[in-house]
Structures are given as C-alpha cells and as structure tokens.
Amino acid sequence: MEQRRVGVIIVAGGSGSRMGGSMPKQFALVDGLPILARTINTFARAFAGAKIVVVLPESQIDFWKNYSARFTVSRHSITAGGEQRFHSVKRGIEALTDAVDLIAVHDGVRPFASVEMIRRVAECAAETGAAIPVTEAVDSFRVTTQTGSEVIDRSKLRIVQTPQIFEASLLRAAYDTEYQQSFTDDASVVEQTTPCRVTLCAGERNNIKITTPEDMVIAYAIAESLKS
C-alpha cells in the first residue's frame, strides 16, 4: 500500500437525536477521548501522511475546532456537509486533492475499526477498484409480506460496514450525479452509476456504529478490552 496514495473522508453529520443527549454523538467521550478523535487517529495510523477530511454540519465546525484542541487528535481538515450523506461525501471528495489513488469513506462514529482491517480493505480496493467490509449475520431475519412475513436465509446476508474504499477516479465519477433515494451508502452509489461491482472483504464485530445509548455501553467495553 505504500505506493498507493490514500485520501480519507470521515463523515460525521449526526445530530445526536437518537443518543438522547444535547451533544452530538461523534463528540461523546469514550474513555476520555471523543469518538470522532478516536476515528481520526486510527486512520492516521493506518495511512501515514494521508490527507484526512472530516465532514461536519456547518453549525458544528467551530465547536469541533475548539473542542478537539483539548485532546490529542491527528492532523485533519474540515469541510461542511450537505443535506444528505450523499451530499456530505460529495463535498468530502471535492475537498481532497487529485493526488490520491484511493479514497476511503468512513463513518465518524465507527471508532473501533482496526488498522489491520482498514489496510485489508484498502488492499482489496487497490486490486479490484471497490471494496467494503462486511460481517456475517448472526440473528434470524424475516421480511414482511402482504400476508404476514417470511423467513430469510441469513447465510446469504451480510452486514455492511465502513470504511468503503474505492479507486479515486471511480468514486469521483460515481458522485458526479444527482442524489437518489436508492443511494444508501457509497457502494450503492458506485454500483448504480458505474459498471463496477463491489468486492466484499472481511469486516470486524468490534467495528460498531455508535448511534444509541446502548451502543455507548458496548463502546466502553470495547475500549476497555483494547487496553489489555
């Protein structure tokens, strides 16, 4: 990966409504460090020297600049997000220079992705053009129908995570379009606007997306486990 230049977009647009507090979830502390800071620092370790762009709601930018100065946070730039996640990622892409070969897009509230997993997905993307981390489903699932519900074969299901990593030119081309409701993540944008198919790579159970108070309990436990 040393020869492949990576640009990183960290999307942190949450308002904190599902968390139930006044502070947006990406700024909440886990073991003394903001969730967003943990995420930034992990990518700085994964890709030394990579440009990291953090996308925040415009109303939160000044707060983050002042708040993050209290902690040890790796170097990053900040840009204002848009109405939908699609628009925020698009602005993140625009904030990156053209001098990158791969672009990684990651949720700001997934602070426990390991350096090894991030690099693994990047290697896969370098080979195939587009790669996303996934884990196998362990719960049972049903789909609702007009007559009730039906069981889904969970062996065919995969839980999608981030970072989602792409050839830079491919992702730029994919986002050169208008927003559609069918765009649920970056992989869906790429597959719906280009001929490229996305490759699935092994994700991690610890790579949780922190969105609810219950998730914070799990986050504290993960942080403790990483100390040992």
Side-chain angles (χ1 to χ4, degrees), residues 195-215:
C196 183
R197 306 307 299 172
V198 172
T199 301
L200 306 185
C201 301
E204 296 173 332
R205 297 287 177 196
N206 278 359
N207 187 21
I208 64 169
K209 186 175 182 180
I210 301 173
T211 58
T212 68
E214 292 79 12
D215 296 332

Side-chain angles (χ1 to χ4, degrees), residues 91-172:
R91 291 185 181 181
I93 293 171
E94 292 168 353
L96 286 173
T97 67
D98 291 333
V100 294
D101 303 306
L102 297 173
I103 297 177
V105 185
H106 190 66
D107 298 322
V109 290
R110 288 187 188 269
F112 299 116
S114 72
V115 167
E116 293 74 20
M117 189 270 283
I118 293 169
R119 289 176 177 170
R120 180 168 66 242
V121 179
E123 291 282 0
C124 190
E127 296 175 2
T128 66
I132 63 174
V134 300
T135 59
E136 294 184 358
V138 295
D139 293 319
S140 295
F141 292 86
R142 299 183 73 90
V143 60
T144 57
T145 66
Q146 290 184 340
T147 58
S149 66
E150 297 176 357
V151 173
I152 295 178
D153 181 0
R154 71 182 177 195
S155 67
K156 297 180 180 179
L157 298 178
R158 295 296 181 270
I159 301 168
V160 176
Q161 302 179 335
T162 66
Q164 301 189 356
I165 306 181
F166 309 87
E167 288 284 354
S169 58
L170 174 68
L171 192 65
R172 291 184 191 278

